[in-house]
Amino acid sequence: MQIAVALVSLFSLLSLISADVVTRFEDVPECMEYFYRGMVPKWGAATPDVARICQRFVNRYHFATLYDTHHRIAVYSAYHFQPSNGGGREKRWFVEPQLVNSSWQAGMKDSYWLGKDHPGVYQGERQALNEDYTHSGFNRGHLNPNGHHAVPSRNATFTLTNVVPQNAKLNQNAWRMYEAELTDLFRAKCSKAYVLVGAVPSSDKWIGKNQTKRVNVPDYLWNAYCCVDNNSRPVQSGGGSARNTEDNWVERHSLDELVEFLQQFTNEPVGELFYNNCI
């Protein structure tokens, strides 16, 4: 009887370890490490057809993404900052196999090789594909930025479930400089920095292909961070938001201000973005 129980427990553990698209982030302890004190924000949880992805690359988890399969953009990605250890930009763009078929392998994969494994299967029903962005006029804008990570987490940010159509001027100028500003802050002030980066979908702007709405172009991008010391006590917090336009400007916010900003886009209570508002 004890052996049977042990085997059931082992199989349950293995099923969790192999999980990638999950019912709840709380079901995968490694995935919960990207949320300060294990608190998953309420923001976006009521989004229809949302998927929770524990982002796996080279058989490890690297960050977590709440993904809107209708708009085919991320609601947010949650991560903690890592000082870069060098390494160039990943040349591949990955997709999430389990958004095509829940029984497929756990872990992001190059769309080309996924197609070789499963010939003739359309991969883009519930997620954006690299071809959607080609000649679209928009950048593949990272939410969780590759520059906030060491390899291999740096490579893992190049999944299309972590990007949104971003205005090129914003992506390459003000938003890039804001990410660099955060890098300096996190290095100087934080033992660990917990970060959320998200997008607010638009009501009527899409990347289209063959007269089909494929990928929503968000109206806004936003960022929130919680810096802690060696004892996991908060030392600094804040955030920013930017119109996804040629305006090329990032507005700085306190966490309270950012919650007020997000509240205007939903009838659901936004709630705290970090445990105890990072106080």
Side-chain angles (χ1 to χ4, degrees):
M1 183 66 176
Q2 289 180 333
I3 294 175
V5 171
L7 286 174
V8 169
S9 299
L10 177 60
F11 288 139
S12 297
L13 178 60
L14 289 174
S15 69
L16 287 178
I17 290 174
S18 65
D20 196 10
V21 176
V22 297
T23 304
R24 304 186 319 143
F25 288 126
E26 291 86 349
D27 293 336
V28 182
E30 298 94 330
C31 204
M32 291 297 291
E33 294 177 5
Y34 304 109
F35 300 97
Y36 176 52
R37 292 193 179 273
M39 193 209 83
V40 178
K42 293 179 181 178
W43 169 256
T47 302
D49 303 315
V50 75
R52 293 162 178 83
I53 307 173
C54 298
Q55 298 282 11
R56 179 194 287 266
F57 179 70
V58 291
N59 207 33
R60 320 175 11 202
Y61 294 121
H62 298 274
F63 60 103
T65 299
L66 189 67
Y67 190 74
D68 180 347
T69 63
H70 170 66
H71 290 104
R72 300 185 185 91
I73 59 173
V75 178
Y76 65 74
S77 283
Y79 66 96
H80 47 71
F81 173 79
Q82 301 170 321
S84 173
N85 60 357
R89 289 177 62 88
E90 173 64 62
K91 292 182 173 60
R92 300 164 292 177
W93 285 99
F94 304 110
V95 294
E96 176 50 57
Q98 292 187 343
L99 288 181
V100 186
N101 187 312
S102 61
S103 68
W104 287 3
Q105 70 179 70
M108 62 186 71
K109 191 161 185 175
D110 186 321
S111 178
Y112 173 81
W113 291 109
L114 186 62
K116 289 291 188 182
D117 292 342
H118 304 280
V121 178
Y122 181 54
Q123 300 173 17
E125 186 64 32
R126 301 181 67 220
Q127 64 188 311
L129 303 177
N130 196 32
E131 64 200 47
D132 291 321
Y133 284 88
T134 303
H135 306 305
S136 70
F138 292 96
N139 282 180
R140 298 163 183 82
H142 283 72
L143 294 185
N144 176 4
N146 71 90
H148 282 191
H149 293 279
V151 173
S153 293
R154 184 183 183 99
N155 307 78
T157 65
F158 286 82
T159 170
L160 290 165
T161 55
N162 176 52
V163 303
V164 300
Q166 189 171 6
N167 178 275
K169 186 175 182 181
L170 175 66
N171 186 35
Q172 296 166 26
N173 291 275
W175 196 256
R176 178 185 59 81
M177 290 185 285
Y178 177 59
E179 290 173 342
E181 175 186 313
L182 292 180
T183 295
D184 293 341
L185 170 67
F186 297 159
R187 283 178 176 271
K189 297 289 184 68
C190 313
S191 175
K192 180 175 282 189
Y194 294 85
V195 191
L196 298 168
V197 189
V200 178
S202 64
S203 60
D204 58 357
K205 296 193 289 288
W206 293 76
I207 292 175
K209 294 287 183 181
N210 301 319
Q211 298 183 328
T212 301
K213 293 179 178 179
R214 282 293 304 154
V215 186
N216 186 267
V217 179
D219 279 338
Y220 290 92
L221 276 70
W222 60 271
N223 159 287
Y225 63 87
C226 174
C227 280
V228 300
D229 63 16
N230 287 323
N231 296 309
S232 293
R233 292 179 301 213
V235 294
Q236 190 162 335
S237 65
S241 66
R243 277 187 170 275
N244 190 23
T245 66
E246 294 281 323
D247 289 353
N248 193 34
W249 174 258
V250 178
E251 184 77 21
R252 274 62 168 177
H253 301 288
S254 68
L255 290 182
D256 286 337
E257 291 169 343
L258 188 60
V259 167
E260 290 179 9
F261 167 79
L262 294 174
Q263 190 64 69
Q264 66 184 306
F265 304 110
T266 180
N267 293 322
E268 301 289 330
V270 173
E272 295 178 343
L273 297 174
F274 298 105
Y275 173 81
N276 199 34
N277 207 32
C278 192
I279 296 175

mmCIF file of all heavy atoms in Angstrom, residues 14-51:
data_model
loop_
_atom_site.group_PDB
_atom_site.id
_atom_site.type_symbol
_atom_site.label_atom_id
_atom_site.label_comp_id
_atom_site.label_asym_id
_atom_site.label_seq_id
_atom_site.Cartn_x
_atom_site.Cartn_y
_atom_site.Cartn_z
ATOM 1 N N LEU A 14 6.020 14.040 -11.150
ATOM 2 C CA LEU A 14 6.530 14.075 -12.515
ATOM 3 C C LEU A 14 5.596 14.855 -13.431
ATOM 4 O O LEU A 14 6.035 15.585 -14.318
ATOM 5 C CB LEU A 14 6.725 12.646 -13.052
ATOM 6 C CG LEU A 14 7.893 11.868 -12.435
ATOM 7 C CD1 LEU A 14 7.874 10.423 -12.940
ATOM 8 C CD2 LEU A 14 9.226 12.518 -12.769
ATOM 9 N N SER A 15 4.290 14.711 -13.209
ATOM 10 C CA SER A 15 3.342 15.448 -14.042
ATOM 11 C C SER A 15 3.478 16.940 -13.823
ATOM 12 O O SER A 15 3.317 17.735 -14.742
ATOM 13 C CB SER A 15 1.911 14.990 -13.755
ATOM 14 O OG SER A 15 1.501 15.396 -12.474
ATOM 15 N N LEU A 16 3.779 17.338 -12.589
ATOM 16 C CA LEU A 16 3.980 18.763 -12.313
ATOM 17 C C LEU A 16 5.270 19.252 -12.935
ATOM 18 O O LEU A 16 5.328 20.331 -13.514
ATOM 19 C CB LEU A 16 4.007 19.012 -10.802
ATOM 20 C CG LEU A 16 2.668 18.918 -10.071
ATOM 21 C CD1 LEU A 16 2.886 19.130 -8.583
ATOM 22 C CD2 LEU A 16 1.676 19.930 -10.604
ATOM 23 N N ILE A 17 6.308 18.426 -12.840
ATOM 24 C CA ILE A 17 7.605 18.829 -13.380
ATOM 25 C C ILE A 17 7.518 19.019 -14.888
ATOM 26 O O ILE A 17 8.127 19.911 -15.459
ATOM 27 C CB ILE A 17 8.677 17.777 -13.017
ATOM 28 C CG1 ILE A 17 8.968 17.814 -11.514
ATOM 29 C CG2 ILE A 17 9.966 18.020 -13.797
ATOM 30 C CD1 ILE A 17 9.887 16.724 -11.034
ATOM 31 N N SER A 18 6.704 18.172 -15.561
ATOM 32 C CA SER A 18 6.613 18.265 -17.011
ATOM 33 C C SER A 18 5.607 19.318 -17.462
ATOM 34 O O SER A 18 5.456 19.572 -18.636
ATOM 35 C CB SER A 18 6.229 16.899 -17.606
ATOM 36 O OG SER A 18 4.923 16.532 -17.192
ATOM 37 N N ALA A 19 4.880 19.899 -16.513
ATOM 38 C CA ALA A 19 3.855 20.882 -16.868
ATOM 39 C C ALA A 19 4.493 22.145 -17.421
ATOM 40 O O ALA A 19 5.586 22.527 -17.047
ATOM 41 C CB ALA A 19 3.009 21.206 -15.650
ATOM 42 N N ASP A 20 3.764 22.774 -18.324
ATOM 43 C CA ASP A 20 4.249 24.011 -18.918
ATOM 44 C C ASP A 20 3.094 24.999 -19.000
ATOM 45 O O ASP A 20 3.128 26.057 -18.390
ATOM 46 C CB ASP A 20 4.831 23.712 -20.295
ATOM 47 C CG ASP A 20 5.688 24.843 -20.829
ATOM 48 O OD1 ASP A 20 5.992 25.777 -20.079
ATOM 49 O OD2 ASP A 20 6.050 24.787 -22.005
ATOM 50 N N VAL A 21 2.039 24.668 -19.735
ATOM 51 C CA VAL A 21 0.788 25.411 -19.675
ATOM 52 C C VAL A 21 -0.023 24.791 -18.545
ATOM 53 O O VAL A 21 -0.337 23.601 -18.571
ATOM 54 C CB VAL A 21 0.024 25.327 -21.006
ATOM 55 C CG1 VAL A 21 -1.325 26.033 -20.892
ATOM 56 C CG2 VAL A 21 0.843 25.957 -22.130
ATOM 57 N N VAL A 22 -0.329 25.595 -17.548
ATOM 58 C CA VAL A 22 -0.900 25.060 -16.307
ATOM 59 C C VAL A 22 -2.247 25.710 -16.007
ATOM 60 O O VAL A 22 -2.561 26.790 -16.511
ATOM 61 C CB VAL A 22 0.059 25.286 -15.109
ATOM 62 C CG1 VAL A 22 1.363 24.540 -15.330
ATOM 63 C CG2 VAL A 22 0.335 26.774 -14.891
ATOM 64 N N THR A 23 -3.038 25.040 -15.175
ATOM 65 C CA THR A 23 -4.316 25.594 -14.751
ATOM 66 C C THR A 23 -4.112 26.763 -13.798
ATOM 67 O O THR A 23 -4.801 27.783 -13.868
ATOM 68 C CB THR A 23 -5.169 24.516 -14.067
ATOM 69 O OG1 THR A 23 -5.328 23.416 -14.965
ATOM 70 C CG2 THR A 23 -6.536 25.058 -13.680
ATOM 71 N N ARG A 24 -3.126 26.614 -12.904
ATOM 72 C CA ARG A 24 -2.793 27.662 -11.937
ATOM 73 C C ARG A 24 -1.281 27.737 -11.819
ATOM 74 O O ARG A 24 -0.604 26.705 -11.802
ATOM 75 C CB ARG A 24 -3.377 27.353 -10.561
ATOM 76 C CG ARG A 24 -4.873 27.126 -10.515
ATOM 77 C CD ARG A 24 -5.366 26.969 -9.077
ATOM 78 N NE ARG A 24 -4.441 26.159 -8.274
ATOM 79 C CZ ARG A 24 -4.168 26.390 -6.994
ATOM 80 N NH1 ARG A 24 -4.703 27.414 -6.357
ATOM 81 N NH2 ARG A 24 -3.314 25.609 -6.341
ATOM 82 N N PHE A 25 -0.747 28.944 -11.722
ATOM 83 C CA PHE A 25 0.689 29.074 -11.474
ATOM 84 C C PHE A 25 1.060 28.377 -10.168
ATOM 85 O O PHE A 25 2.158 27.824 -10.036
ATOM 86 C CB PHE A 25 1.092 30.550 -11.392
ATOM 87 C CG PHE A 25 1.072 31.285 -12.702
ATOM 88 C CD1 PHE A 25 0.350 32.455 -12.857
ATOM 89 C CD2 PHE A 25 1.808 30.811 -13.790
ATOM 90 C CE1 PHE A 25 0.348 33.150 -14.059
ATOM 91 C CE2 PHE A 25 1.812 31.498 -14.999
ATOM 92 C CZ PHE A 25 1.070 32.664 -15.135
ATOM 93 N N GLU A 26 0.134 28.408 -9.212
ATOM 94 C CA GLU A 26 0.406 27.832 -7.890
ATOM 95 C C GLU A 26 0.670 26.329 -7.949
ATOM 96 O O GLU A 26 1.209 25.747 -7.005
ATOM 97 C CB GLU A 26 -0.782 28.105 -6.957
ATOM 98 C CG GLU A 26 -0.952 29.570 -6.561
ATOM 99 C CD GLU A 26 -1.765 30.376 -7.548
ATOM 100 O OE1 GLU A 26 -2.036 29.873 -8.676
ATOM 101 O OE2 GLU A 26 -2.134 31.524 -7.212
ATOM 102 N N ASP A 27 0.303 25.695 -9.060
ATOM 103 C CA ASP A 27 0.508 24.248 -9.177
ATOM 104 C C ASP A 27 1.965 23.875 -9.428
ATOM 105 O O ASP A 27 2.325 22.699 -9.329
ATOM 106 C CB ASP A 27 -0.356 23.676 -10.315
ATOM 107 C CG ASP A 27 -1.838 23.749 -10.015
ATOM 108 O OD1 ASP A 27 -2.190 23.807 -8.815
ATOM 109 O OD2 ASP A 27 -2.642 23.747 -10.963
ATOM 110 N N VAL A 28 2.790 24.851 -9.774
ATOM 111 C CA VAL A 28 4.205 24.575 -10.070
ATOM 112 C C VAL A 28 5.071 25.465 -9.173
ATOM 113 O O VAL A 28 5.221 26.658 -9.428
ATOM 114 C CB VAL A 28 4.531 24.844 -11.555
ATOM 115 C CG1 VAL A 28 5.996 24.504 -11.849
ATOM 116 C CG2 VAL A 28 3.618 24.027 -12.454
ATOM 117 N N PRO A 29 5.622 24.903 -8.106
ATOM 118 C CA PRO A 29 6.393 25.722 -7.163
ATOM 119 C C PRO A 29 7.504 26.533 -7.825
ATOM 120 O O PRO A 29 7.732 27.691 -7.459
ATOM 121 C CB PRO A 29 6.962 24.682 -6.188
ATOM 122 C CG PRO A 29 5.985 23.546 -6.238
ATOM 123 C CD PRO A 29 5.504 23.502 -7.659
ATOM 124 N N GLU A 30 8.195 25.940 -8.825
ATOM 125 C CA GLU A 30 9.277 26.667 -9.477
ATOM 126 C C GLU A 30 8.760 27.906 -10.199
ATOM 127 O O GLU A 30 9.464 28.910 -10.330
ATOM 128 C CB GLU A 30 10.005 25.765 -10.489
ATOM 129 C CG GLU A 30 10.676 24.554 -9.865
ATOM 130 C CD GLU A 30 9.780 23.321 -9.893
ATOM 131 O OE1 GLU A 30 8.541 23.486 -9.853
ATOM 132 O OE2 GLU A 30 10.313 22.207 -9.944
ATOM 133 N N CYS A 31 7.529 27.829 -10.688
ATOM 134 C CA CYS A 31 6.931 28.953 -11.405
ATOM 135 C C CYS A 31 6.566 30.083 -10.443
ATOM 136 O O CYS A 31 6.617 31.264 -10.808
ATOM 137 C CB CYS A 31 5.682 28.461 -12.129
ATOM 138 S SG CYS A 31 5.194 29.442 -13.545
ATOM 139 N N MET A 32 6.234 29.723 -9.219
ATOM 140 C CA MET A 32 5.826 30.719 -8.231
ATOM 141 C C MET A 32 6.988 31.571 -7.743
ATOM 142 O O MET A 32 6.784 32.618 -7.131
ATOM 143 C CB MET A 32 5.154 30.024 -7.040
ATOM 144 C CG MET A 32 3.802 29.418 -7.375
ATOM 145 S SD MET A 32 2.618 30.681 -7.873
ATOM 146 C CE MET A 32 2.383 31.512 -6.302
ATOM 147 N N GLU A 33 8.211 31.143 -8.015
ATOM 148 C CA GLU A 33 9.380 31.897 -7.578
ATOM 149 C C GLU A 33 9.467 33.277 -8.235
ATOM 150 O O GLU A 33 10.181 34.152 -7.753
ATOM 151 C CB GLU A 33 10.651 31.112 -7.881
ATOM 152 C CG GLU A 33 10.781 29.822 -7.070
ATOM 153 C CD GLU A 33 12.013 29.031 -7.452
ATOM 154 O OE1 GLU A 33 12.816 29.539 -8.275
ATOM 155 O OE2 GLU A 33 12.161 27.902 -6.942
ATOM 156 N N TYR A 34 8.725 33.475 -9.323
ATOM 157 C CA TYR A 34 8.801 34.745 -10.045
ATOM 158 C C TYR A 34 7.809 35.771 -9.521
ATOM 159 O O TYR A 34 7.770 36.903 -10.027
ATOM 160 C CB TYR A 34 8.597 34.495 -11.546
ATOM 161 C CG TYR A 34 9.598 33.484 -12.060
ATOM 162 C CD1 TYR A 34 9.200 32.206 -12.413
ATOM 163 C CD2 TYR A 34 10.953 33.795 -12.106
ATOM 164 C CE1 TYR A 34 10.117 31.269 -12.829
ATOM 165 C CE2 TYR A 34 11.888 32.868 -12.517
ATOM 166 C CZ TYR A 34 11.459 31.595 -12.880
ATOM 167 O OH TYR A 34 12.382 30.663 -13.276
ATOM 168 N N PHE A 35 7.033 35.396 -8.510
ATOM 169 C CA PHE A 35 6.070 36.299 -7.888
ATOM 170 C C PHE A 35 6.516 36.565 -6.445
ATOM 171 O O PHE A 35 6.764 35.621 -5.690
ATOM 172 C CB PHE A 35 4.672 35.688 -7.892
ATOM 173 C CG PHE A 35 4.153 35.377 -9.273
ATOM 174 C CD1 PHE A 35 4.266 34.098 -9.802
ATOM 175 C CD2 PHE A 35 3.557 36.364 -10.042
ATOM 176 C CE1 PHE A 35 3.791 33.803 -11.069
ATOM 177 C CE2 PHE A 35 3.072 36.085 -11.309
ATOM 178 C CZ PHE A 35 3.185 34.800 -11.829
ATOM 179 N N TYR A 36 6.618 37.829 -6.083
ATOM 180 C CA TYR A 36 7.107 38.195 -4.757
ATOM 181 C C TYR A 36 6.239 37.564 -3.678
ATOM 182 O O TYR A 36 5.019 37.752 -3.654
ATOM 183 C CB TYR A 36 7.139 39.717 -4.609
ATOM 184 C CG TYR A 36 7.540 40.197 -3.238
ATOM 185 C CD1 TYR A 36 8.713 39.722 -2.631
ATOM 186 C CD2 TYR A 36 6.772 41.120 -2.541
ATOM 187 C CE1 TYR A 36 9.082 40.151 -1.380
ATOM 188 C CE2 TYR A 36 7.137 41.562 -1.288
ATOM 189 C CZ TYR A 36 8.301 41.067 -0.704
ATOM 190 O OH TYR A 36 8.671 41.487 0.558
ATOM 191 N N ARG A 37 6.890 36.794 -2.801
ATOM 192 C CA ARG A 37 6.238 36.060 -1.713
ATOM 193 C C ARG A 37 5.073 35.196 -2.200
ATOM 194 O O ARG A 37 4.121 34.927 -1.491
ATOM 195 C CB ARG A 37 5.775 37.014 -0.602
ATOM 196 C CG ARG A 37 6.936 37.668 0.159
ATOM 197 C CD ARG A 37 6.467 38.343 1.426
ATOM 198 N NE ARG A 37 7.568 38.947 2.150
ATOM 199 C CZ ARG A 37 8.337 38.315 3.048
ATOM 200 N NH1 ARG A 37 8.106 37.042 3.319
ATOM 201 N NH2 ARG A 37 9.306 38.967 3.665
ATOM 202 N N GLY A 38 5.197 34.741 -3.444
ATOM 203 C CA GLY A 38 4.226 33.790 -3.968
ATOM 204 C C GLY A 38 2.838 34.347 -4.207
ATOM 205 O O GLY A 38 1.871 33.579 -4.295
ATOM 206 N N MET A 39 2.724 35.673 -4.361
ATOM 207 C CA MET A 39 1.409 36.257 -4.609
ATOM 208 C C MET A 39 1.230 36.546 -6.094
ATOM 209 O O MET A 39 1.924 37.396 -6.659
ATOM 210 C CB MET A 39 1.212 37.551 -3.826
ATOM 211 C CG MET A 39 -0.241 38.014 -3.802
ATOM 212 S SD MET A 39 -0.442 39.820 -3.666
ATOM 213 C CE MET A 39 -0.245 40.319 -5.388
ATOM 214 N N VAL A 40 0.301 35.821 -6.740
ATOM 215 C CA VAL A 40 -0.021 36.059 -8.142
ATOM 216 C C VAL A 40 -1.030 37.203 -8.220
ATOM 217 O O VAL A 40 -2.063 37.167 -7.552
ATOM 218 C CB VAL A 40 -0.618 34.794 -8.783
ATOM 219 C CG1 VAL A 40 -1.005 35.061 -10.240
ATOM 220 C CG2 VAL A 40 0.375 33.635 -8.696
ATOM 221 N N PRO A 41 -0.759 38.251 -8.998
ATOM 222 C CA PRO A 41 -1.699 39.376 -9.059
ATOM 223 C C PRO A 41 -3.033 38.975 -9.683
ATOM 224 O O PRO A 41 -3.102 38.047 -10.492
ATOM 225 C CB PRO A 41 -0.970 40.408 -9.932
ATOM 226 C CG PRO A 41 0.050 39.636 -10.690
ATOM 227 C CD PRO A 41 0.439 38.480 -9.828
ATOM 228 N N LYS A 42 -4.080 39.707 -9.308
ATOM 229 C CA LYS A 42 -5.407 39.461 -9.881
ATOM 230 C C LYS A 42 -5.524 40.014 -11.300
ATOM 231 O O LYS A 42 -6.380 39.583 -12.065
ATOM 232 C CB LYS A 42 -6.483 40.113 -9.001
ATOM 233 C CG LYS A 42 -6.641 39.478 -7.631
ATOM 234 C CD LYS A 42 -7.714 40.213 -6.821
ATOM 235 C CE LYS A 42 -7.874 39.611 -5.435
ATOM 236 N NZ LYS A 42 -8.885 40.353 -4.635
ATOM 237 N N TRP A 43 -4.698 40.991 -11.616
ATOM 238 C CA TRP A 43 -4.791 41.637 -12.921
ATOM 239 C C TRP A 43 -4.750 40.601 -14.047
ATOM 240 O O TRP A 43 -3.832 39.794 -14.129
ATOM 241 C CB TRP A 43 -3.656 42.640 -13.108
ATOM 242 C CG TRP A 43 -3.529 43.149 -14.519
ATOM 243 C CD1 TRP A 43 -2.589 42.780 -15.435
ATOM 244 C CD2 TRP A 43 -4.359 44.113 -15.168
ATOM 245 N NE1 TRP A 43 -2.771 43.451 -16.616
ATOM 246 C CE2 TRP A 43 -3.868 44.275 -16.480
ATOM 247 C CE3 TRP A 43 -5.479 44.844 -14.776
ATOM 248 C CZ2 TRP A 43 -4.452 45.141 -17.395
ATOM 249 C CZ3 TRP A 43 -6.066 45.705 -15.689
ATOM 250 C CH2 TRP A 43 -5.545 45.855 -16.978
ATOM 251 N N GLY A 44 -5.759 40.618 -14.903
ATOM 252 C CA GLY A 44 -5.786 39.743 -16.073
ATOM 253 C C GLY A 44 -6.350 38.369 -15.838
ATOM 254 O O GLY A 44 -6.576 37.623 -16.798
ATOM 255 N N ALA A 45 -6.572 37.999 -14.578
ATOM 256 C CA ALA A 45 -7.013 36.633 -14.282
ATOM 257 C C ALA A 45 -8.377 36.323 -14.890
ATOM 258 O O ALA A 45 -8.674 35.165 -15.208
ATOM 259 C CB ALA A 45 -7.054 36.410 -12.776
ATOM 260 N N ALA A 46 -9.216 37.348 -15.051
ATOM 261 C CA ALA A 46 -10.554 37.135 -15.599
ATOM 262 C C ALA A 46 -10.592 37.248 -17.124
ATOM 263 O O ALA A 46 -11.663 37.167 -17.728
ATOM 264 C CB ALA A 46 -11.533 38.140 -14.985
ATOM 265 N N THR A 47 -9.441 37.431 -17.750
ATOM 266 C CA THR A 47 -9.390 37.521 -19.211
ATOM 267 C C THR A 47 -9.907 36.229 -19.834
ATOM 268 O O THR A 47 -9.441 35.146 -19.477
ATOM 269 C CB THR A 47 -7.946 37.769 -19.685
ATOM 270 O OG1 THR A 47 -7.448 38.966 -19.086
ATOM 271 C CG2 THR A 47 -7.875 37.897 -21.195
ATOM 272 N N PRO A 48 -10.871 36.298 -20.755
ATOM 273 C CA PRO A 48 -11.364 35.068 -21.389
ATOM 274 C C PRO A 48 -10.245 34.351 -22.147
ATOM 275 O O PRO A 48 -9.368 34.982 -22.746
ATOM 276 C CB PRO A 48 -12.443 35.573 -22.367
ATOM 277 C CG PRO A 48 -12.835 36.912 -21.836
ATOM 278 C CD PRO A 48 -11.602 37.491 -21.218
ATOM 279 N N ASP A 49 -10.277 33.029 -22.102
ATOM 280 C CA ASP A 49 -9.323 32.201 -22.862
ATOM 281 C C ASP A 49 -7.864 32.491 -22.513
ATOM 282 O O ASP A 49 -6.978 32.437 -23.365
ATOM 283 C CB ASP A 49 -9.530 32.393 -24.376
ATOM 284 C CG ASP A 49 -10.948 32.069 -24.813
ATOM 285 O OD1 ASP A 49 -11.470 31.037 -24.372
ATOM 286 O OD2 ASP A 49 -11.531 32.858 -25.578
ATOM 287 N N VAL A 50 -7.633 32.790 -21.236
ATOM 288 C CA VAL A 50 -6.268 33.072 -20.807
ATOM 289 C C VAL A 50 -5.536 31.762 -20.533
ATOM 290 O O VAL A 50 -6.136 30.765 -20.111
ATOM 291 C CB VAL A 50 -6.265 33.981 -19.558
ATOM 292 C CG1 VAL A 50 -6.643 33.210 -18.301
ATOM 293 C CG2 VAL A 50 -4.919 34.662 -19.379
ATOM 294 N N ALA A 51 -4.234 31.751 -20.815
ATOM 295 C CA ALA A 51 -3.388 30.581 -20.524
ATOM 296 C C ALA A 51 -2.263 31.004 -19.602
ATOM 297 O O ALA A 51 -1.714 32.106 -19.734
ATOM 298 C CB ALA A 51 -2.812 30.003 -21.821
#
